[in-house]
Amino acid sequence: MATYAEVTTRKIISVNPATGAALRELECASDADISAAVERARSAQAAWAELGVRRRVDVLRKFQSALHKKKSEITTAITREAGKPLAEALVTEVLVTLDAARFLIDNAFRLLRDEPLPHGNVATKLKRGRLLHEPYGVVGIISPWNYPFSIPATETLAALVAGNAVVLKPSELTPLVALGLASLLHGAGVPRDVFQVVIGEGPAGAALIRSPIDKLVFTGSVATGKRIAAAAAERLLPVVLELGGKDPMIVLDDTYVDVASSAAVWGAFVNAGQACLSVERCYVHRSLYEHFVAACAEKTKKLRVGPGEDRETDVGPMIHERQLRVVESHVEDARAHGARILAGGSRFLELGKNFYRPTVLADVSHEMRIMREETFGPVLPIMAFDSEDEAVRLANDSDYGLAASVWTRDSKRGERIARRIHAGTVMVNDAISCFGISEAPHGGVKASGIGRTHGRFGLEEMVRVKYLDTDQMPGMKKVWWYGYGESFRRQMEGFLDLQFARGISERLRGAVRASGSLWRKRL
Ligand code: NAD
């Protein structure tokens, strides 16, 4: 039996995290293979861009229909390699991707077509301005294992519809899911060189960054993101960085406790807590605290932990023991500093070495690692607060800023607090589902990253904006060309007054001075 992705010099073994069984051995791409893949992508990209948006949208339609037909096959492949329950694979991976395709099918043409840019400056009224949205060329995508299908797929679809070629380096823990994505895209009509997958660990990602790609979209940890930002800076490679999170959930004193406690339990344990948007910190108004904590503990104890392929499972295994050790160390630190463990708090060895019991911690504090570092596992740490200001201060007391949620019966109050929270997304009375809202931009502030994926802003990350300017009077010399002198200076002064002086009489005076000989002789 293999342990996780065992790497020899040139091989990776993909492993089922629930059972430890080897799924397939794959050869890693060498630096030369990666350069060659990028070269092939570059050669193929021009023809792909030439097709135009409407024909590329047709390809997306075929992809969407094939994915819908093969949803069970893809769902099972995701569950086998990443461990999550089948229902989660269906909703958070397949459905999210189908809907991202829907968004692009409906909107890509409108968002990518040339955009007129009217000029406000009177001096440039005779020019026609337009914004063009041109593909970068070859977009490199480096993706993580926790959403091995929906993350690279949603990024890839946006890159492709904008006319780019894509070279994807998936996580070494989930290469088979990426190959499944490639097979669907190629089957739908994306040329093989326009979408390629290169297999390997971190060094393969580093080689992709050194290769002549034109843009990089990276999703992963803050530590790797910083290394990538440094490498990208060396060659001024534009990057999107989708990094980690420590998302707070604020439960106000007027919240429906039954609803919010169910949300906290789902938000903390979905994908065994291995979601960048998962509820990593929970702050509850003191008046509800004991009631809320007890409800969370009770609901958590009812969760069915097991292999994702078992249809009754709520919480699957973690991806790898390495990740589980991080969780263990955070829980131990919290326990040592006085946290109460109300559910879980240990491994589930009867099920296998990658299983950890869903854990509820009460009475945590910001002195504990569990409230400061990304845990990325099935733990729900809960802390009491006394006032809105304190809740906002605690939520913002973090290096991260991916998303947050506020829970209240009063949506105006929730929105007022949401505006004060430093995060890329704040949801009022929901958490995490923003990732499945294809119109919504996804991305963070502070250490959670740079740039956006999804929606209009995600599509705009895949294009360079070019400004095209056409002067409509080709036979006329411009007034600002050579031929300066005092009279020209005064005329210009009058022209400035006409446009910018505050009082009407000043404007009129300026207009009189400016009138007449602006179109004088130029050199
Ligand atoms: P990771 O940083 O370990 O790896 C991510 C990818 O980077 C993998 O493909 C890996 O092989 C590659 N990589 C590693 N070292 C590299 C290097 N030096 N150069 C180039 N590539 C390199 O992250 P992970 O463990 O796969 O994923 C978990 C992390 O991802 C968590 O922190 C989670 O919050 C974050 N994440 C963020 C989002 C988001 O949208 N913000 C989404 C999912 C996951």
Side-chain angles (χ1 to χ4, degrees), residues 146-147 244-249 263-282 374-381 402-405 431-435 442:
N146 64 332
Y147 288 91
K246 190 76 196 165
D247 291 1
M249 169 175 184
V265 167
W266 181 77
F269 305 136
V270 65
N271 202 20
Q274 305 164 116
C276 56
L277 294 166
S278 64
V279 171
E280 284 251 338
R281 302 178 277 153
C282 187
E374 190 180 39
T375 308
F376 221 56
V379 185
L380 172 61
L402 192 55
S405 63
I432 305 184
S433 66
C434 49
F435 192 75
H442 171 67

Side-chain angles (χ1 to χ4, degrees), residues 138-325:
V138 181
V139 173
I141 296 179
I142 299 179
S143 57
W145 46 264
N146 64 332
Y147 288 91
F149 191 81
S150 56
I151 289 177
T154 52
E155 295 166 356
T156 295
L157 293 179
L160 290 178
V161 82
N164 299 284
V166 171
V167 178
L168 165 67
K169 205 299 283 173
S171 168
E172 56 276 22
L173 300 179
T174 50
L176 298 181
V177 172
L179 294 175
L181 172 65
S183 152
L184 278 171
L185 287 166
H186 295 153
V190 176
R192 290 193 162 265
D193 290 345
V194 168
F195 179 75
Q196 298 173 70
V197 177
V198 292
I199 302 291
E201 293 197 299
L208 183 60
I209 298 166
R210 286 193 302 274
S211 76
I213 53 173
D214 303 295
K215 173 125 190 185
L216 178 76
V217 181
F218 170 79
T219 309
S221 62
V222 173
T224 310
K226 285 182 179 171
R227 279 199 289 277
I228 282 175
E234 279 295 311
R235 44 167 300 216
L236 294 179
L237 175 69
V239 287
V240 172
L241 299 174
E242 294 285 4
L243 308 179
K246 190 76 196 165
D247 291 1
M249 169 175 184
I250 297 178
V251 181
L252 298 176
D253 53 3
D254 64 348
T255 305
Y256 296 101
V257 171
D258 182 39
V259 173
S261 57
S262 291
V265 167
W266 181 77
F269 305 136
V270 65
N271 202 20
Q274 305 164 116
C276 56
L277 294 166
S278 64
V279 171
E280 284 251 338
R281 302 178 277 153
C282 187
Y283 304 99
V284 182
H285 190 268
R286 201 172 297 282
S287 63
L288 307 177
Y289 183 69
E290 285 305 333
H291 182 190
F292 184 89
V293 159
C296 288
E298 191 193 323
K299 289 173 185 182
T300 299
K301 285 178 191 159
K302 289 186 185 152
L303 294 175
R304 295 157 302 185
V305 183
E309 282 182 83
D310 179 340
R311 282 165 199 274
E312 299 305 309
T313 290
D314 295 311
V315 181
M318 300 193 63
I319 189 77
H320 182 242
E321 214 191 346
R322 181 180 61 193
Q323 193 59 42
L324 196 142
R325 283 196 293 270

Side-chain angles (χ1 to χ4, degrees), residues 29-37:
S30 65
D31 287 15
D33 294 336
I34 291 168
S35 299

